[in-house]
Amino acid sequence: MHMHKIISPYTEITFCHKQLRESLQAKCNVEQSVLITDAMIAELYPALFEGYKTIVLPTGEDQKSLTVLESVVSQLIEAKAHRNTFLIGIGGGTITDITGFVASIYMRGISFGFVPTTLLCMVDAAIGGKNGVNFGLQKNFLGTIRQPKFILCNTLFFGTLPDNEWSNGFAEIIKYACLFDEPLFDELLLNDIAFYKKYRDTLEDLIHRCINWKNKIVIEDEREISSRKLLNFGHTVGHAIEMIYNTPHGHAVSLGMIIACALSERVTGLNEKTTGQLVHLLQKYNLPTNLFFDTKSIMNVLKMDKKRNDNSIDFIILENNGQPKIKQLPFDIIEQILESFSYASYN
Ligand code: NAD
Ligand code: ZN
């Protein structure tokens, strides 16, 4: 294995190649921990949870709600969780978001750690301490920034990961490539999901590289005052699509990145070839590049977005591949682009 060290002042991020149960036990003792997971992981990996107090939630993004949060708090009280109890979220981004948020507010905050089981969660959702739930059509509208004590990565979980979830993870990987890493963009163009599934070392190198990008930005700007905003590339329109059309997160981000490029063409003069290349790359990783959407519905959600000002919104655009920029864009320009985009063909 090629091991790279990931250094974070907040969180111990480690890769483990031991069996799953063994690696979990090394991190959290049975008496002091409560595990939170979803029904799919509980069913696929029953041995992992033996002996631990475990809260099992149904699968799906709609679990990220205040109602579910209340039920988790009740179950924690029932499990006699106190201020020294350690919460561990084992699952994808849905589970780590809920676990991190509940741990941040339970008795004014208890310690927590994550065991990501999806590619998306490993390269993105588990890192950085932003955890929250949705409210109405607004994604992650209620939340906190509080860092996990540890993130334990183990690619053994990928043995059961459905194809669709591989694609979702690659949407965030492609996001890092567009923002910061042109050589990665080129590498991704040469490979595909089947390749990374086959060569586990190369996959782990890829995951390390993405964790390093996110970790670097989080260290620089934990509170999202400056550079952390860049990570929202593809996510402004993406989140609206995700909430209105119930699209998986990575799929929505894929569409959001294309729209952000279309906007960049108009605002910064981004070369349309760059947009074309991105579309090609996304298709290579089985991500959607076309959707019939209703501009008005999307605009209504954007006008309530966390990043909005009075008549504009902070939008991440590209000047070139690998050169992102934060720009305050008036809503009417975004609306025009969305309108024209519904007719554009990116096949
Ligand atoms: P998810 O957690 O909903 O998991 C997707 C599906 O895969 C679920 O049905 C789950 O049961 C299943 N699954 C998980 N691991 C599996 C495995 N090893 N084998 C088989 N099935 C498995 O989705 P996700 O894509 O991991 O996360 C998406 C969420 O993450 C969104 O809510 C998004 O907002 C959030 N997110 C948060 C951040 C952040 O910084 N906090 C960053 C990116 C995304
Ligand atoms: Zn995302």
Side-chain angles (χ1 to χ4, degrees):
M1 287 293 151
H2 322 197
M3 287 305 290
H4 311 260
K5 220 176 157 79
I6 297 161
I7 296 168
S8 157
Y10 318 106
T11 305
E12 183 196 295
I13 306 175
T14 48
F15 262 80
C16 188
H17 301 108
K18 291 193 199 128
Q19 287 308 306
L20 297 171
R21 170 85 184 177
E22 216 182 311
S23 56
L24 182 67
Q25 278 190 324
K27 277 276 157 260
C28 34
N29 87 25
V30 171
E31 285 78 45
Q32 266 200 320
S33 317
V34 175
L35 313 187
I36 303 184
T37 192
D38 74 26
M40 177 73 83
I41 300 296
E43 190 186 319
L44 288 171
Y45 301 94
L48 198 54
F49 300 93
E50 265 168 38
Y52 284 101
K53 288 179 187 163
T54 305
I55 297 172
V56 182
L57 301 176
T59 59
E61 173 75 19
D62 54 2
Q63 293 300 303
K64 283 178 49 172
S65 74
L66 276 181
T67 323
V68 171
L69 215 67
E70 270 194 60
S71 124
V72 173
V73 170
S74 301
Q75 293 181 68
L76 285 173
I77 293 169
E78 236 168 82
K80 300 196 168 60
H82 50 71
R83 276 193 293 196
N84 295 323
T85 300
F86 210 92
L87 276 197
I88 296 112
I90 307 184
T94 305
I95 288 299
T96 55
D97 271 7
I98 294 171
T99 305
F101 190 29
V102 94
S104 309
I105 56 176
Y106 188 77
M107 294 183 171
R108 294 213 182 82
I110 61 176
S111 298
F112 63 102
F114 293 147
V115 182
T117 64
T118 64
L119 178 62
L120 185 141
C121 192
M122 220 176 268
V123 298
D124 192 354
I127 312 152
K130 267 205 212 171
N131 298 114
V133 300
N134 308 326
F135 192 80
L137 284 178
Q138 293 298 324
K139 274 281 287 183
N140 307 329
F141 198 69
L142 306 171
T144 49
I145 300 185
R146 203 178 152 103
Q147 301 296 337
K149 285 277 180 298
F150 71 79
I151 301 170
L152 181 64
C153 303
N154 196 325
T155 52
L156 283 178
F157 283 109
F158 297 164
T160 55
L161 199 64
D163 285 344
N164 212 21
E165 301 307 332
W166 281 91
S167 294
N168 272 318
F170 270 97
E172 305 283 11
I173 292 172
I174 292 170
K175 176 188 78 177
Y176 295 120
C178 290
L179 287 174
F180 314 118
D181 198 338
E182 219 183 350
L184 176 60
F185 196 97
D186 295 338
E187 180 188 312
L188 292 168
L189 274 172
L190 292 175
N191 303 330
D192 58 13
I193 292 179
F195 172 85
Y196 288 106
K197 276 189 186 175
K198 188 165 169 204
Y199 299 103
R200 191 166 134 188
D201 278 8
T202 319
L203 174 66
E204 285 200 8
D205 286 344
L206 176 68
I207 295 170
H208 276 285
R209 187 155 165 172
C210 294
I211 293 179
N212 274 324
W213 280 122
K214 175 127 188 206
N215 190 42
K216 174 179 174 287
I217 295 286
V218 171
I219 292 169
E220 231 168 67
D221 177 28
E222 190 195 22
R223 300 276 128 188
E224 196 169 316
I225 289 153
S226 53
S227 61
R228 189 164 184 178
K229 289 188 176 158
L230 298 174
L231 297 176
N232 292 318
F233 178 59
H235 281 62
T236 308
V237 173
H239 276 164
I241 291 174
E242 182 176 358
M243 293 307 282
I244 298 169
Y245 298 102
N246 223 336
T247 314
H249 183 74
H251 286 202
V253 169
S254 172
L255 295 159
M257 289 191 289
I258 297 171
I259 291 166
C261 281
L263 260 163
S264 307
E265 285 177 23
R266 161 88 178 264
V267 178
T268 66
L270 176 76
N271 192 326
E272 63 184 31
K273 273 197 195 139
T274 309
T275 313
Q277 259 197 329
L278 173 62
V279 169
H280 172 68
L281 183 58
L282 293 166
Q283 286 173 346
K284 210 162 177 223
Y285 288 83
N286 305 324
L287 286 158
T289 52
N290 239 327
L291 175 82
F292 286 104
F293 57 77
D294 176 47
T295 302
K296 285 272 176 300
S297 315
I298 294 192
M299 289 311 298
N300 285 339
V301 174
L302 291 190
K303 285 176 181 166
M304 279 298 295
D305 191 281
K306 298 190 287 297
K307 300 176 291 298
R308 76 177 189 276
N309 314 300
D310 282 340
N311 289 307
S312 64
I313 185 164
D314 288 345
F315 213 95
I316 310 308
I317 50 178
L318 296 180
E319 289 187 303
N320 263 310
N321 213 357
Q323 286 175 266
K325 195 176 159 176
I326 305 164
K327 187 132 173 97
Q328 237 184 42
L329 291 187
F331 283 125
D332 50 1
I333 292 194
I334 299 176
E335 188 160 359
Q336 282 168 26
I337 295 291
L338 285 175
E339 212 38 67
S340 67
F341 192 84
S342 10
Y343 304 113
S345 171
Y346 280 100
N347 278 316

